[in-house]
Amino acid sequence: MKRIFLLLTVCIIQTLAVSCKKQNALIASISFDSDIEWFQEGIQGMEDASSENHIKFISYNSYYDTGMEFQLAEKLVKSHIKAVIISPIDYTKSVPAIDFLKKHGVKVVTWNTFVNYPVDSEVIVNSQKLGEITGTYLKEYVNEHKLSEVKAAFITNNSYTIAKERCNGFKSAVQSLVDSKKIIVKAEINSELTEETKRNVRTLLNDHPDIQLIWCWNQTTLNACLQTLKEMERTDILLCGTDLTKNIALEMLRPDSKILAVSVQNPYLMGYTALENALNTIKGKDVERIVEIPVSLYTNQDLDALEEYIAR
């Protein structure tokens, strides 16, 4: 009985500690999928910046739900938060949450995605470039290896501005390959979530078993596509896309890797910069209205760079 009482006491203390931490936080973040590696890297950047500046920080997940996004905005206003770093779910549907925060005097910094509302600072990447550099590398690869009539599928998305920009950047870069029939696009699939992508890839390969190349627009679809190809034992298909992860980097180190190239943002630096900007807005300091973080490309030929990425 005494032991049970002690355990209950510990649980209550821990719960109160977490509650107090949230109540006293100076800056908060709202992400729409903090369960994936990409967002976790960004949040780690925020946490490190907050630690270095000796301030309290808390993060929340809106789970792709604009209703929850608004509820979190209300909660943060009630807890007297001073600034919110948010990756808006939707360019227009996220406006009510941002408007509510701003009307209650909360500083707002957006990162990764955009919203149709003036905010204090935006931390962005050139999404068109993110897609374009994979297409440019693919064009070089196809020409260098004198390939022709490569049967390809593109996994794209038209739900977000950044998704459209990535896809347009990639397709623009490979258009000359399509025009010259060095690449034959057999299918373009709109996809976003893991299980949806896995189903779509299975259907794609059942309908078009001659597919030789797949391009994926983001981390989730790239990971899901890789998993599905392994499950279907289709290790003959070339892959490329955007948003490198440590898991993908490990796959690219394999001698027989079919993952040609993956472009990458720097979510850690984006998160770190977003928190510093949020803190400076609270202090009344001038911050850049738009901060662009550079993008880069990793290929399965850059073994040292891949190992360095995994080790960091």
Side-chain angles (χ1 to χ4, degrees), residues 142-189:
V142 167
N143 288 329
E144 181 184 335
H145 290 80
K146 296 180 171 54
L147 303 179
S148 64
E149 297 188 352
V150 177
K151 313 301 189 298
F154 303 158
I155 298 180
T156 60
N157 186 272
N158 57 17
S159 299
Y160 311 98
T161 302
I162 59 167
K164 294 174 187 176
E165 289 174 350
R166 290 183 192 190
C167 298
N168 289 340
F170 170 75
K171 287 189 281 187
S172 175
V174 299
Q175 188 59 49
S176 62
L177 295 177
V178 175
D179 292 341
S180 61
K181 299 194 184 304
K182 289 183 178 180
I183 283 184
I184 297 172
V185 183
K186 303 285 282 188
E188 183 173 333
I189 305 165

mmCIF file of all heavy atoms in Angstrom, residues 142-189:
data_model
loop_
_atom_site.group_PDB
_atom_site.id
_atom_site.type_symbol
_atom_site.label_atom_id
_atom_site.label_comp_id
_atom_site.label_asym_id
_atom_site.label_seq_id
_atom_site.Cartn_x
_atom_site.Cartn_y
_atom_site.Cartn_z
ATOM 1 N N VAL A 142 20.941 10.245 -66.463
ATOM 2 C CA VAL A 142 20.379 9.608 -67.663
ATOM 3 C C VAL A 142 21.283 9.845 -68.877
ATOM 4 O O VAL A 142 21.557 8.924 -69.652
ATOM 5 C CB VAL A 142 18.949 10.125 -67.935
ATOM 6 C CG1 VAL A 142 18.468 9.722 -69.324
ATOM 7 C CG2 VAL A 142 17.987 9.600 -66.874
ATOM 8 N N ASN A 143 21.748 11.060 -69.032
ATOM 9 C CA ASN A 143 22.612 11.378 -70.176
ATOM 10 C C ASN A 143 23.973 10.697 -70.067
ATOM 11 O O ASN A 143 24.494 10.172 -71.057
ATOM 12 C CB ASN A 143 22.780 12.890 -70.297
ATOM 13 C CG ASN A 143 21.521 13.582 -70.779
ATOM 14 O OD1 ASN A 143 20.739 12.998 -71.534
ATOM 15 N ND2 ASN A 143 21.292 14.807 -70.350
ATOM 16 N N GLU A 144 24.527 10.697 -68.847
ATOM 17 C CA GLU A 144 25.841 10.086 -68.640
ATOM 18 C C GLU A 144 25.817 8.586 -68.926
ATOM 19 O O GLU A 144 26.752 8.018 -69.491
ATOM 20 C CB GLU A 144 26.319 10.338 -67.205
ATOM 21 C CG GLU A 144 27.692 9.773 -66.898
ATOM 22 C CD GLU A 144 28.094 9.957 -65.446
ATOM 23 O OE1 GLU A 144 27.574 10.892 -64.789
ATOM 24 O OE2 GLU A 144 28.919 9.163 -64.952
ATOM 25 N N HIS A 145 24.714 7.925 -68.524
ATOM 26 C CA HIS A 145 24.601 6.475 -68.722
ATOM 27 C C HIS A 145 23.917 6.116 -70.045
ATOM 28 O O HIS A 145 23.621 4.952 -70.287
ATOM 29 C CB HIS A 145 23.840 5.854 -67.543
ATOM 30 C CG HIS A 145 24.618 5.865 -66.259
ATOM 31 N ND1 HIS A 145 24.718 6.985 -65.464
ATOM 32 C CD2 HIS A 145 25.350 4.895 -65.645
ATOM 33 C CE1 HIS A 145 25.453 6.707 -64.413
ATOM 34 N NE2 HIS A 145 25.859 5.461 -64.499
ATOM 35 N N LYS A 146 23.679 7.145 -70.860
ATOM 36 C CA LYS A 146 23.080 6.952 -72.191
ATOM 37 C C LYS A 146 21.801 6.110 -72.140
ATOM 38 O O LYS A 146 21.603 5.168 -72.918
ATOM 39 C CB LYS A 146 24.097 6.310 -73.138
ATOM 40 C CG LYS A 146 25.326 7.187 -73.403
ATOM 41 C CD LYS A 146 26.296 6.515 -74.340
ATOM 42 C CE LYS A 146 27.403 7.458 -74.780
ATOM 43 N NZ LYS A 146 28.133 8.098 -73.670
ATOM 44 N N LEU A 147 20.937 6.457 -71.174
ATOM 45 C CA LEU A 147 19.678 5.733 -71.024
ATOM 46 C C LEU A 147 18.619 6.320 -71.956
ATOM 47 O O LEU A 147 18.670 7.497 -72.323
ATOM 48 C CB LEU A 147 19.193 5.823 -69.575
ATOM 49 C CG LEU A 147 20.161 5.312 -68.492
ATOM 50 C CD1 LEU A 147 19.545 5.492 -67.116
ATOM 51 C CD2 LEU A 147 20.511 3.853 -68.732
ATOM 52 N N SER A 148 17.653 5.499 -72.305
ATOM 53 C CA SER A 148 16.533 5.986 -73.120
ATOM 54 C C SER A 148 15.276 5.197 -72.784
ATOM 55 O O SER A 148 15.343 4.047 -72.346
ATOM 56 C CB SER A 148 16.851 5.859 -74.612
ATOM 57 O OG SER A 148 17.006 4.499 -74.973
ATOM 58 N N GLU A 149 14.138 5.851 -72.962
ATOM 59 C CA GLU A 149 12.828 5.254 -72.706
ATOM 60 C C GLU A 149 12.733 4.635 -71.307
ATOM 61 O O GLU A 149 12.205 3.541 -71.119
ATOM 62 C CB GLU A 149 12.494 4.217 -73.790
ATOM 63 C CG GLU A 149 12.394 4.831 -75.172
ATOM 64 C CD GLU A 149 11.885 3.846 -76.212
ATOM 65 O OE1 GLU A 149 11.755 2.643 -75.899
ATOM 66 O OE2 GLU A 149 11.610 4.283 -77.346
ATOM 67 N N VAL A 150 13.249 5.358 -70.332
ATOM 68 C CA VAL A 150 13.155 4.914 -68.935
ATOM 69 C C VAL A 150 11.711 5.092 -68.478
ATOM 70 O O VAL A 150 11.170 6.201 -68.508
ATOM 71 C CB VAL A 150 14.103 5.729 -68.023
ATOM 72 C CG1 VAL A 150 13.927 5.306 -66.565
ATOM 73 C CG2 VAL A 150 15.542 5.557 -68.468
ATOM 74 N N LYS A 151 11.083 4.017 -68.058
ATOM 75 C CA LYS A 151 9.679 4.067 -67.613
ATOM 76 C C LYS A 151 9.649 4.628 -66.182
ATOM 77 O O LYS A 151 10.203 4.037 -65.260
ATOM 78 C CB LYS A 151 9.047 2.674 -67.615
ATOM 79 C CG LYS A 151 9.298 1.843 -68.878
ATOM 80 C CD LYS A 151 8.795 2.485 -70.136
ATOM 81 C CE LYS A 151 8.876 1.537 -71.331
ATOM 82 N NZ LYS A 151 10.246 1.103 -71.666
ATOM 83 N N ALA A 152 8.989 5.772 -66.026
ATOM 84 C CA ALA A 152 9.039 6.484 -64.744
ATOM 85 C C ALA A 152 7.653 6.774 -64.190
ATOM 86 O O ALA A 152 6.657 6.837 -64.919
ATOM 87 C CB ALA A 152 9.806 7.785 -64.912
ATOM 88 N N ALA A 153 7.629 6.935 -62.857
ATOM 89 C CA ALA A 153 6.422 7.384 -62.163
ATOM 90 C C ALA A 153 6.823 8.484 -61.195
ATOM 91 O O ALA A 153 7.886 8.410 -60.573
ATOM 92 C CB ALA A 153 5.764 6.231 -61.412
ATOM 93 N N PHE A 154 5.991 9.500 -61.082
ATOM 94 C CA PHE A 154 6.244 10.602 -60.165
ATOM 95 C C PHE A 154 5.181 10.576 -59.063
ATOM 96 O O PHE A 154 3.983 10.578 -59.365
ATOM 97 C CB PHE A 154 6.187 11.951 -60.883
ATOM 98 C CG PHE A 154 7.143 12.094 -62.040
ATOM 99 C CD1 PHE A 154 6.894 13.030 -63.034
ATOM 100 C CD2 PHE A 154 8.285 11.312 -62.139
ATOM 101 C CE1 PHE A 154 7.764 13.182 -64.104
ATOM 102 C CE2 PHE A 154 9.172 11.446 -63.198
ATOM 103 C CZ PHE A 154 8.908 12.387 -64.186
ATOM 104 N N ILE A 155 5.625 10.536 -57.812
ATOM 105 C CA ILE A 155 4.691 10.655 -56.687
ATOM 106 C C ILE A 155 4.702 12.113 -56.272
ATOM 107 O O ILE A 155 5.696 12.621 -55.751
ATOM 108 C CB ILE A 155 5.085 9.732 -55.525
ATOM 109 C CG1 ILE A 155 5.041 8.272 -55.984
ATOM 110 C CG2 ILE A 155 4.147 9.946 -54.331
ATOM 111 C CD1 ILE A 155 5.411 7.263 -54.919
ATOM 112 N N THR A 156 3.604 12.797 -56.531
ATOM 113 C CA THR A 156 3.528 14.243 -56.341
ATOM 114 C C THR A 156 2.435 14.602 -55.333
ATOM 115 O O THR A 156 1.784 13.724 -54.759
ATOM 116 C CB THR A 156 3.254 14.937 -57.694
ATOM 117 O OG1 THR A 156 2.004 14.449 -58.226
ATOM 118 C CG2 THR A 156 4.368 14.635 -58.695
ATOM 119 N N ASN A 157 2.240 15.913 -55.156
ATOM 120 C CA ASN A 157 1.201 16.371 -54.232
ATOM 121 C C ASN A 157 0.780 17.782 -54.621
ATOM 122 O O ASN A 157 1.625 18.598 -54.983
ATOM 123 C CB ASN A 157 1.726 16.361 -52.789
ATOM 124 C CG ASN A 157 0.641 16.687 -51.785
ATOM 125 O OD1 ASN A 157 0.404 17.843 -51.487
ATOM 126 N ND2 ASN A 157 -0.017 15.663 -51.253
ATOM 127 N N ASN A 158 -0.517 18.053 -54.545
ATOM 128 C CA ASN A 158 -1.002 19.399 -54.873
ATOM 129 C C ASN A 158 -1.780 20.029 -53.723
ATOM 130 O O ASN A 158 -2.551 20.960 -53.910
ATOM 131 C CB ASN A 158 -1.871 19.366 -56.142
ATOM 132 C CG ASN A 158 -3.047 18.404 -56.008
ATOM 133 O OD1 ASN A 158 -3.408 17.994 -54.905
ATOM 134 N ND2 ASN A 158 -3.657 18.039 -57.122
ATOM 135 N N SER A 159 -1.541 19.521 -52.498
ATOM 136 C CA SER A 159 -2.277 20.023 -51.339
ATOM 137 C C SER A 159 -1.644 21.261 -50.714
ATOM 138 O O SER A 159 -2.322 22.021 -50.026
ATOM 139 C CB SER A 159 -2.384 18.929 -50.266
ATOM 140 O OG SER A 159 -3.074 17.814 -50.761
ATOM 141 N N TYR A 160 -0.347 21.437 -50.907
ATOM 142 C CA TYR A 160 0.373 22.540 -50.269
ATOM 143 C C TYR A 160 1.143 23.343 -51.312
ATOM 144 O O TYR A 160 1.597 22.790 -52.324
ATOM 145 C CB TYR A 160 1.383 22.022 -49.229
ATOM 146 C CG TYR A 160 0.815 21.026 -48.259
ATOM 147 C CD1 TYR A 160 0.998 19.657 -48.456
ATOM 148 C CD2 TYR A 160 0.100 21.444 -47.140
ATOM 149 C CE1 TYR A 160 0.487 18.738 -47.557
ATOM 150 C CE2 TYR A 160 -0.417 20.530 -46.247
ATOM 151 C CZ TYR A 160 -0.223 19.172 -46.452
ATOM 152 O OH TYR A 160 -0.740 18.269 -45.566
ATOM 153 N N THR A 161 1.327 24.602 -51.029
ATOM 154 C CA THR A 161 2.112 25.452 -51.928
ATOM 155 C C THR A 161 3.514 24.897 -52.105
ATOM 156 O O THR A 161 4.032 24.800 -53.225
ATOM 157 C CB THR A 161 2.196 26.892 -51.379
ATOM 158 O OG1 THR A 161 0.879 27.402 -51.217
ATOM 159 C CG2 THR A 161 2.980 27.792 -52.319
ATOM 160 N N ILE A 162 4.148 24.506 -50.984
ATOM 161 C CA ILE A 162 5.530 24.010 -51.076
ATOM 162 C C ILE A 162 5.597 22.709 -51.864
ATOM 163 O O ILE A 162 6.580 22.451 -52.566
ATOM 164 C CB ILE A 162 6.169 23.818 -49.680
ATOM 165 C CG1 ILE A 162 5.365 22.822 -48.825
ATOM 166 C CG2 ILE A 162 6.324 25.136 -48.964
ATOM 167 C CD1 ILE A 162 6.108 22.362 -47.580
ATOM 168 N N ALA A 163 4.554 21.888 -51.761
ATOM 169 C CA ALA A 163 4.527 20.623 -52.505
ATOM 170 C C ALA A 163 4.444 20.902 -54.007
ATOM 171 O O ALA A 163 5.165 20.302 -54.807
ATOM 172 C CB ALA A 163 3.352 19.770 -52.053
ATOM 173 N N LYS A 164 3.564 21.803 -54.387
ATOM 174 C CA LYS A 164 3.419 22.159 -55.801
ATOM 175 C C LYS A 164 4.730 22.713 -56.352
ATOM 176 O O LYS A 164 5.143 22.387 -57.470
ATOM 177 C CB LYS A 164 2.302 23.195 -55.969
ATOM 178 C CG LYS A 164 0.908 22.680 -55.638
ATOM 179 C CD LYS A 164 -0.098 23.821 -55.693
ATOM 180 C CE LYS A 164 -1.467 23.373 -55.198
ATOM 181 N NZ LYS A 164 -2.432 24.496 -55.148
ATOM 182 N N GLU A 165 5.390 23.547 -55.554
ATOM 183 C CA GLU A 165 6.644 24.159 -56.005
ATOM 184 C C GLU A 165 7.731 23.100 -56.199
ATOM 185 O O GLU A 165 8.482 23.130 -57.178
ATOM 186 C CB GLU A 165 7.103 25.220 -55.009
ATOM 187 C CG GLU A 165 6.227 26.466 -55.018
ATOM 188 C CD GLU A 165 6.595 27.454 -53.934
ATOM 189 O OE1 GLU A 165 7.411 27.103 -53.047
ATOM 190 O OE2 GLU A 165 6.071 28.589 -53.965
ATOM 191 N N ARG A 166 7.832 22.162 -55.258
ATOM 192 C CA ARG A 166 8.815 21.072 -55.390
ATOM 193 C C ARG A 166 8.569 20.279 -56.670
ATOM 194 O O ARG A 166 9.482 20.007 -57.439
ATOM 195 C CB ARG A 166 8.713 20.109 -54.201
ATOM 196 C CG ARG A 166 9.174 20.645 -52.890
ATOM 197 C CD ARG A 166 9.079 19.530 -51.852
ATOM 198 N NE ARG A 166 9.245 20.047 -50.513
ATOM 199 C CZ ARG A 166 9.405 19.292 -49.444
ATOM 200 N NH1 ARG A 166 9.425 17.979 -49.576
ATOM 201 N NH2 ARG A 166 9.551 19.826 -48.248
ATOM 202 N N CYS A 167 7.326 19.889 -56.846
ATOM 203 C CA CYS A 167 6.972 19.056 -57.996
ATOM 204 C C CYS A 167 7.201 19.803 -59.306
ATOM 205 O O CYS A 167 7.729 19.238 -60.273
ATOM 206 C CB CYS A 167 5.515 18.603 -57.888
ATOM 207 S SG CYS A 167 5.200 17.574 -56.427
ATOM 208 N N ASN A 168 6.824 21.070 -59.336
ATOM 209 C CA ASN A 168 7.030 21.867 -60.546
ATOM 210 C C ASN A 168 8.516 22.043 -60.838
ATOM 211 O O ASN A 168 8.935 22.002 -62.003
ATOM 212 C CB ASN A 168 6.356 23.239 -60.405
ATOM 213 C CG ASN A 168 4.844 23.146 -60.442
ATOM 214 O OD1 ASN A 168 4.286 22.161 -60.931
ATOM 215 N ND2 ASN A 168 4.167 24.153 -59.918
ATOM 216 N N GLY A 169 9.308 22.230 -59.780
ATOM 217 C CA GLY A 169 10.751 22.376 -59.960
ATOM 218 C C GLY A 169 11.366 21.118 -60.549
ATOM 219 O O GLY A 169 12.192 21.179 -61.471
ATOM 220 N N PHE A 170 10.954 19.964 -60.027
ATOM 221 C CA PHE A 170 11.479 18.691 -60.532
ATOM 222 C C PHE A 170 11.052 18.461 -61.980
ATOM 223 O O PHE A 170 11.879 18.154 -62.846
ATOM 224 C CB PHE A 170 10.985 17.535 -59.658
ATOM 225 C CG PHE A 170 11.278 16.183 -60.246
ATOM 226 C CD1 PHE A 170 12.564 15.667 -60.223
ATOM 227 C CD2 PHE A 170 10.271 15.437 -60.841
ATOM 228 C CE1 PHE A 170 12.845 14.429 -60.785
ATOM 229 C CE2 PHE A 170 10.537 14.200 -61.399
ATOM 230 C CZ PHE A 170 11.835 13.698 -61.373
ATOM 231 N N LYS A 171 9.754 18.625 -62.244
ATOM 232 C CA LYS A 171 9.234 18.335 -63.589
ATOM 233 C C LYS A 171 9.822 19.278 -64.635
ATOM 234 O O LYS A 171 10.095 18.875 -65.772
ATOM 235 C CB LYS A 171 7.706 18.386 -63.572
ATOM 236 C CG LYS A 171 7.083 17.191 -62.862
ATOM 237 C CD LYS A 171 5.588 17.124 -63.031
ATOM 238 C CE LYS A 171 4.863 18.057 -62.118
ATOM 239 N NZ LYS A 171 3.383 17.851 -62.171
ATOM 240 N N SER A 172 10.043 20.525 -64.232
ATOM 241 C CA SER A 172 10.661 21.474 -65.143
ATOM 242 C C SER A 172 12.085 21.047 -65.501
ATOM 243 O O SER A 172 12.505 21.143 -66.663
ATOM 244 C CB SER A 172 10.685 22.868 -64.495
ATOM 245 O OG SER A 172 11.369 23.789 -65.298
ATOM 246 N N ALA A 173 12.822 20.524 -64.502
ATOM 247 C CA ALA A 173 14.218 20.118 -64.717
ATOM 248 C C ALA A 173 14.332 18.899 -65.626
ATOM 249 O O ALA A 173 15.331 18.739 -66.331
ATOM 250 C CB ALA A 173 14.897 19.847 -63.374
ATOM 251 N N VAL A 174 13.320 18.015 -65.610
ATOM 252 C CA VAL A 174 13.408 16.784 -66.417
ATOM 253 C C VAL A 174 12.575 16.863 -67.705
ATOM 254 O O VAL A 174 12.500 15.883 -68.444
ATOM 255 C CB VAL A 174 12.977 15.536 -65.611
ATOM 256 C CG1 VAL A 174 13.882 15.340 -64.402
ATOM 257 C CG2 VAL A 174 11.508 15.622 -65.183
ATOM 258 N N GLN A 175 11.998 18.035 -67.955
ATOM 259 C CA GLN A 175 11.108 18.145 -69.122
ATOM 260 C C GLN A 175 11.821 17.799 -70.430
ATOM 261 O O GLN A 175 11.239 17.163 -71.319
ATOM 262 C CB GLN A 175 10.531 19.562 -69.202
ATOM 263 C CG GLN A 175 9.449 19.728 -70.260
ATOM 264 C CD GLN A 175 8.264 18.803 -70.040
ATOM 265 O OE1 GLN A 175 7.730 18.723 -68.930
ATOM 266 N NE2 GLN A 175 7.852 18.073 -71.073
ATOM 267 N N SER A 176 13.099 18.177 -70.541
ATOM 268 C CA SER A 176 13.833 17.869 -71.773
ATOM 269 C C SER A 176 14.005 16.362 -71.951
ATOM 270 O O SER A 176 14.016 15.856 -73.078
ATOM 271 C CB SER A 176 15.201 18.558 -71.770
ATOM 272 O OG SER A 176 16.001 18.098 -70.692
ATOM 273 N N LEU A 177 14.110 15.633 -70.831
ATOM 274 C CA LEU A 177 14.196 14.170 -70.906
ATOM 275 C C LEU A 177 12.880 13.578 -71.384
ATOM 276 O O LEU A 177 12.856 12.609 -72.149
ATOM 277 C CB LEU A 177 14.555 13.577 -69.537
ATOM 278 C CG LEU A 177 15.933 13.911 -68.950
ATOM 279 C CD1 LEU A 177 16.064 13.300 -67.568
ATOM 280 C CD2 LEU A 177 17.045 13.417 -69.861
ATOM 281 N N VAL A 178 11.785 14.162 -70.916
ATOM 282 C CA VAL A 178 10.450 13.704 -71.326
ATOM 283 C C VAL A 178 10.233 14.002 -72.816
ATOM 284 O O VAL A 178 9.759 13.141 -73.572
ATOM 285 C CB VAL A 178 9.354 14.370 -70.473
ATOM 286 C CG1 VAL A 178 7.967 13.980 -70.972
ATOM 287 C CG2 VAL A 178 9.517 13.990 -69.002
ATOM 288 N N ASP A 179 10.598 15.210 -73.217
ATOM 289 C CA ASP A 179 10.409 15.613 -74.620
ATOM 290 C C ASP A 179 11.200 14.732 -75.582
ATOM 291 O O ASP A 179 10.740 14.430 -76.687
ATOM 292 C CB ASP A 179 10.827 17.080 -74.808
ATOM 293 C CG ASP A 179 9.900 18.043 -74.087
ATOM 294 O OD1 ASP A 179 8.771 17.638 -73.756
ATOM 295 O OD2 ASP A 179 10.316 19.194 -73.842
ATOM 296 N N SER A 180 12.392 14.325 -75.146
ATOM 297 C CA SER A 180 13.259 13.504 -76.014
ATOM 298 C C SER A 180 12.997 12.008 -75.850
ATOM 299 O O SER A 180 13.687 11.183 -76.438
ATOM 300 C CB SER A 180 14.729 13.794 -75.698
ATOM 301 O OG SER A 180 15.037 13.461 -74.353
ATOM 302 N N LYS A 181 12.000 11.673 -75.004
ATOM 303 C CA LYS A 181 11.611 10.290 -74.714
ATOM 304 C C LYS A 181 12.731 9.469 -74.050
ATOM 305 O O LYS A 181 12.729 8.247 -74.102
ATOM 306 C CB LYS A 181 11.131 9.582 -75.987
ATOM 307 C CG LYS A 181 9.901 10.239 -76.614
ATOM 308 C CD LYS A 181 9.252 9.370 -77.639
ATOM 309 C CE LYS A 181 8.087 10.063 -78.327
ATOM 310 N NZ LYS A 181 7.071 10.552 -77.390
ATOM 311 N N LYS A 182 13.655 10.181 -73.428
ATOM 312 C CA LYS A 182 14.635 9.466 -72.615
ATOM 313 C C LYS A 182 13.977 8.985 -71.321
ATOM 314 O O LYS A 182 14.403 8.017 -70.708
ATOM 315 C CB LYS A 182 15.835 10.367 -72.312
ATOM 316 C CG LYS A 182 16.705 10.631 -73.540
ATOM 317 C CD LYS A 182 17.922 11.464 -73.192
ATOM 318 C CE LYS A 182 18.799 11.677 -74.418
ATOM 319 N NZ LYS A 182 19.995 12.493 -74.098
ATOM 320 N N ILE A 183 12.926 9.703 -70.917
ATOM 321 C CA ILE A 183 12.061 9.273 -69.819
ATOM 322 C C ILE A 183 10.631 9.246 -70.339
ATOM 323 O O ILE A 183 10.180 10.195 -70.984
ATOM 324 C CB ILE A 183 12.161 10.213 -68.596
ATOM 325 C CG1 ILE A 183 13.441 9.945 -67.806
ATOM 326 C CG2 ILE A 183 10.945 10.058 -67.690
ATOM 327 C CD1 ILE A 183 13.558 10.772 -66.542
ATOM 328 N N ILE A 184 9.937 8.156 -70.059
ATOM 329 C CA ILE A 184 8.522 8.042 -70.418
ATOM 330 C C ILE A 184 7.719 7.978 -69.118
ATOM 331 O O ILE A 184 7.870 7.036 -68.329
ATOM 332 C CB ILE A 184 8.255 6.782 -71.264
ATOM 333 C CG1 ILE A 184 9.038 6.888 -72.591
ATOM 334 C CG2 ILE A 184 6.766 6.612 -71.526
ATOM 335 C CD1 ILE A 184 8.998 5.633 -73.425
ATOM 336 N N VAL A 185 6.927 8.993 -68.872
ATOM 337 C CA VAL A 185 6.158 9.058 -67.627
ATOM 338 C C VAL A 185 4.912 8.185 -67.757
ATOM 339 O O VAL A 185 3.976 8.516 -68.476
ATOM 340 C CB VAL A 185 5.767 10.511 -67.279
ATOM 341 C CG1 VAL A 185 5.021 10.545 -65.940
ATOM 342 C CG2 VAL A 185 6.989 11.403 -67.232
ATOM 343 N N LYS A 186 4.915 7.068 -67.044
ATOM 344 C CA LYS A 186 3.792 6.121 -67.108
ATOM 345 C C LYS A 186 2.659 6.513 -66.161
ATOM 346 O O LYS A 186 1.499 6.185 -66.398
ATOM 347 C CB LYS A 186 4.281 4.714 -66.756
ATOM 348 C CG LYS A 186 5.418 4.196 -67.636
ATOM 349 C CD LYS A 186 4.933 3.788 -68.996
ATOM 350 C CE LYS A 186 4.249 2.439 -68.973
ATOM 351 N NZ LYS A 186 3.929 1.936 -70.323
ATOM 352 N N ALA A 187 3.026 7.213 -65.074
ATOM 353 C CA ALA A 187 1.991 7.592 -64.102
ATOM 354 C C ALA A 187 2.486 8.732 -63.223
ATOM 355 O O ALA A 187 3.677 8.850 -62.944
ATOM 356 C CB ALA A 187 1.616 6.398 -63.231
ATOM 357 N N GLU A 188 1.545 9.582 -62.830
ATOM 358 C CA GLU A 188 1.802 10.606 -61.803
ATOM 359 C C GLU A 188 0.744 10.428 -60.731
ATOM 360 O O GLU A 188 -0.450 10.508 -61.004
ATOM 361 C CB GLU A 188 1.756 12.012 -62.397
ATOM 362 C CG GLU A 188 2.093 13.081 -61.380
ATOM 363 C CD GLU A 188 2.213 14.474 -61.986
ATOM 364 O OE1 GLU A 188 2.539 14.587 -63.189
ATOM 365 O OE2 GLU A 188 1.984 15.448 -61.236
ATOM 366 N N ILE A 189 1.198 10.148 -59.504
ATOM 367 C CA ILE A 189 0.289 9.796 -58.416
ATOM 368 C C ILE A 189 0.303 10.867 -57.338
ATOM 369 O O ILE A 189 1.370 11.245 -56.846
ATOM 370 C CB ILE A 189 0.698 8.452 -57.776
ATOM 371 C CG1 ILE A 189 0.770 7.361 -58.841
ATOM 372 C CG2 ILE A 189 -0.242 8.060 -56.653
ATOM 373 C CD1 ILE A 189 1.506 6.128 -58.371
#
